[in-house]
């Protein structure tokens, strides 16, 4: 049997983009997932689109997920969405700890860990995002910061359905990417950390690279050891931009 990490995952993240009018494109994403059976294809979507998107994806292999979840199952938290709500709407996974939430909403590793637990409790897979700022990289702290985020954000116990997305904050939406050597070093570092923490179970955990992935750089990034897929923002909004990334993973 192929090791799980040999099967790549390409996940899109629409962020705060898209309305019902944009879901006409979902068919093209679903077809892409169908055409590329060797690659797992997923879209993390705004909460308002999840139910309809999951209906449109239907029985196709396209997975629909959330971009965040609250750490509680319900209650007086105006404007928030819980993990069971995502699951009931048809999501099968959720992102947690994206740097935009860590920055915009001030989420800490403790907050993120509680969200991972909530997502697990609702039966959702988790894509946990980590990554250093430019100042932290310049100070030579990138690996320490990422290790601290991993140990602070991953709950005790077995890993469950866990994926790690390494996203250097300074590479997100900027068109800049780390050097291939830096990507390789960080992914090796994360793989080593996971092996230390989870022993043989670490082999099931995929490590995605995220930050300005596009059709023109996907093949090079996906060829790096321990890069098991990609988390894609801007280039996931249109299926024509997303397609070459998925094809590069095939
Ligand atoms: P980007 O975003 O591909 O637009 O850089 C990646 C992300 O934030 O997940």
């Amino acid at each position: 049997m192929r090791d799980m990490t040999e099967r790549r995952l390409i996940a899109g993240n629409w962020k705060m983009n898209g309305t019902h009018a944009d879901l006409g494109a979902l068919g093209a994403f679903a077809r892409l997932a169908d055409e590329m059976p060797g690659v797992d294809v997923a879209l993390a979507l705004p909460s308002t689109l999840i139910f309809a998107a999951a209906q449109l994806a239907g029985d196709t292999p396209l997975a629909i997920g959330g971009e965040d979840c609250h750490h509680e199952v319900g209650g007086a938290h105006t404007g928030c969405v819980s993990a069971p709500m995502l699951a009931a709407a048809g999501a099968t996974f959720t992102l947690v700890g994206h740097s935009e939430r860590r920055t915009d909403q001030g989420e800490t590793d403790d907050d993120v860990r509680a969200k991972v637990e909530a997502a697990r409790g609702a039966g959702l897979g988790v894509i946990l995002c980590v990554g250093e700022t430019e100042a932290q990289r310049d100070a030579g702290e990138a690996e320490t910061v990422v290790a601290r985020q991993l140990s602070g954000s991953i709950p005790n116990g077995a890993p469950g359905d866990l994926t790690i997305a390494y996203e250097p904050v300074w590479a997100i939406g900027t068109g800049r990417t780390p050097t291939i050597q830096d990507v390789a070093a960080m992914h090796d570092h994360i793989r080593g950390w996971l092996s230390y923490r989870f022993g043989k179970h670490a082999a099931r955990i995929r490590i995605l690279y995220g930050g300005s992935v596009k059709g023109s750089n996907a093949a090079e990034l996906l060829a790096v050891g321990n890069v098991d897929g990609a988390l894609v923002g801007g280039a996931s909004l249109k299926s024509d931009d997303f397609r070459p990334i998925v094809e590069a993973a095939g």
Side-chain angles (χ1 to χ4, degrees):
M1 207 174 91
R2 272 159 68 101
D3 191 88
M4 163 104 168
T5 55
E6 286 175 31
R7 192 182 160 84
R8 300 270 178 59
L9 166 63
I10 305 296
N13 171 15
W14 278 18
K15 308 191 179 186
M16 198 169 73
N17 295 292
T19 67
H20 201 83
D22 299 297
L23 287 182
L26 237 283
F29 285 91
R31 273 195 300 284
L32 178 58
D34 240 344
E35 284 167 32
M36 300 293 296
V39 181
D40 289 332
V41 182
L43 279 183
L45 296 175
S47 306
T48 47
L49 301 183
I50 290 173
F51 181 76
Q55 301 277 310
L56 287 166
D59 294 336
T60 72
L62 175 66
I64 301 297
E67 300 176 3
D68 173 56
C69 66
H70 195 272
H71 67 275
E72 288 186 11
V73 297
H77 301 289
T78 303
C80 297
V81 174
S82 74
M85 288 172 173
L86 293 177
T92 56
F93 74 96
T94 186
L95 307 182
V96 294
H98 191 282
S99 66
E100 285 153 14
R101 293 204 58 88
R102 291 178 187 262
T103 305
D104 296 357
Q105 273 74 33
E107 290 182 4
T108 64
D109 288 337
D110 284 344
D111 296 330
V112 174
R113 189 174 65 247
K115 287 166 186 270
V116 175
E117 281 171 348
R120 277 185 184 173
L124 296 173
V126 170
I127 300 180
L128 168 67
C129 306
V130 295
E132 82 286 354
T133 63
E134 186 156 35
Q136 289 165 332
R137 174 157 289 273
D138 289 347
E141 294 168 359
E143 294 193 358
T144 319
V145 166
V146 166
R148 192 168 61 227
Q149 290 173 332
L150 291 171
S151 52
S153 310
I154 298 178
N156 292 332
D161 182 357
L162 179 67
T163 299
I164 306 297
Y166 167 58
E167 300 202 298
V169 177
W170 50 274
I172 294 175
T174 59
R176 298 165 57 204
T177 52
T179 64
I180 289 302
Q181 290 75 14
D182 285 346
V183 173
M186 182 61 84
H187 280 247
D188 286 352
H189 172 66
I190 295 172
R191 175 64 60 208
W193 190 95
L194 293 170
S195 300
Y196 177 73
R197 172 78 162 71
F198 292 114
K200 63 179 188 332
H201 300 296
R204 289 196 281 118
I205 305 173
R206 289 185 283 204
I207 309 171
L208 313 183
Y209 168 78
S212 296
V213 177
K214 40 190 193 267
S216 56
N217 62 17
E220 189 184 21
L221 288 162
L222 289 165
V224 176
N226 285 316
V227 174
D228 308 310
L231 181 56
V232 184
S236 72
L237 293 173
K238 294 200 178 82
S239 66
D240 284 352
D241 295 334
F242 198 53
R243 171 175 284 277
I245 302 171
V246 176
E247 286 176 348

